[in-house]
Amino acid sequence: MPTLKSQFKRTVDIARDTGYSVQQIRNLERAGVLPPATRSTTGYRAYAEIHLHSALAYRALAAGIGPTEAKKILQAMHTRPLAEALALLDAAHARLHSERIDLAHATRAAESISTEPITDVHTSDSMTVAELATALGIRPSTLRHWEAEGLITPDRTGPQGARRYTPNQVRDARVVHQLRAAGYRIPHLRALIPELNRPHRSEDIRSALAARDASLTACSRALLTAAAALDTVVALTDRR
């Protein structure tokens, strides 16, 4: 017959069952990700099922939305009204949904842009930094930042070295703009851009967008895993 003592777990048990170290479990408790542990008469921590599932929920949430947001949700689960904690979770799902919509738009736009033929090009077809920024709906400083990061390098003309974007550079800037809108980070783009000058650039863009889609899918799966653990946390605290 189970005893009261058998209902509790040691720090090492929670660490083993969640894939964290003993110190990480203590840190999570200190941060409010786990509720305060019960202490024995000799000062040892005694954890229960709610600590196990809180740690599992945090691990999954951190994989899906990052440790900062995951910590806020778990802290709210233990200290705030349930509706407030669920609102934070809803916001995370909404952001992910928005990113998926942006990715879908970017995929269609990038596919179209990357295959546009550029023929009968004239010098007058080039654009200034201000003209291109206006056409893309971004600030000129954004284009200068992309240049500093090695993404798009315009030509320099005149004694002052004014920036002029050729039609090819304009097309590349449009692709970068769409990939950035889809959530692609600068370091990833820096590695991708040289490939855009290869003959099969549309395939490279398609692969990049597919990788982003896979990343979002992994985030969705992580949130799904977290939801099961969070539901158990709610049930264990008997919150409505």
Side-chain angles (χ1 to χ4, degrees), residues 2-218:
T3 65
L4 180 62
K5 184 177 179 181
S6 68
Q7 297 176 25
F8 291 94
K9 296 175 180 289
R10 300 167 299 169
T11 309
V12 67
D13 297 325
I14 299 296
R16 182 191 61 243
D17 293 344
T18 60
Y20 285 117
S21 69
V22 167
Q23 187 57 53
Q24 284 175 319
I25 292 300
R26 292 171 181 157
N27 292 341
L28 292 177
E29 181 189 348
R30 188 177 300 113
V33 171
L34 310 184
T38 301
R39 292 280 186 162
S40 69
T41 55
T42 54
Y44 286 102
R45 291 176 173 85
Y47 294 99
E49 287 298 310
I50 190 171
H51 299 94
L52 171 63
H53 289 282
S54 293
L56 290 173
Y58 173 75
R59 189 176 190 87
L61 282 173
I65 59 177
T68 300
E69 291 301 312
K71 184 182 298 183
K72 290 179 181 178
I73 290 174
L74 266 300
Q75 289 170 338
M77 278 287 176
H78 299 310
T79 62
R80 306 297 299 170
L82 180 58
E84 292 185 20
L86 293 179
L88 293 176
L89 186 61
D90 290 343
H93 282 284
R95 285 193 299 273
L96 187 59
H97 177 62
S98 178
E99 289 178 16
R100 283 193 178 281
I101 291 175
D102 290 342
L103 176 62
H105 289 321
T107 299
R108 289 192 294 270
E111 283 290 326
S112 175
I113 294 167
S114 65
T115 56
E116 287 178 354
I118 298 180
T119 58
D120 195 24
V121 177
H122 303 282
T123 303
S124 59
D125 295 328
S126 298
M127 302 178 73
T128 66
V129 64
E131 290 170 340
L132 181 54
T134 298
L136 294 178
I138 60 177
R139 299 180 181 219
S141 60
T142 299
L143 287 171
R144 297 190 185 98
H145 177 61
W146 291 352
E147 180 181 351
E149 293 290 346
L151 301 182
I152 305 296
T153 303
D155 292 345
R156 297 282 187 158
T157 61
Q160 303 299 321
R163 294 174 175 83
R164 297 289 297 187
Y165 293 84
T166 66
N168 273 318
Q169 292 160 355
V170 168
R171 182 172 63 182
D172 288 347
R174 292 170 63 196
V175 170
V176 168
H177 179 51
Q178 291 300 328
L179 292 176
R180 287 289 289 152
Y184 238 76
R185 298 180 182 275
I186 292 292
H188 296 152
L189 284 173
R190 195 184 298 119
L192 173 65
I193 290 303
E195 300 298 320
L196 297 184
N197 295 320
R198 298 163 64 93
H200 303 293
R201 56 181 288 148
S202 61
E203 295 176 11
D204 297 320
I205 295 172
R206 191 178 298 111
S207 296
L209 291 167
R212 176 60 178 164
D213 181 66
S215 175
L216 291 178
T217 297

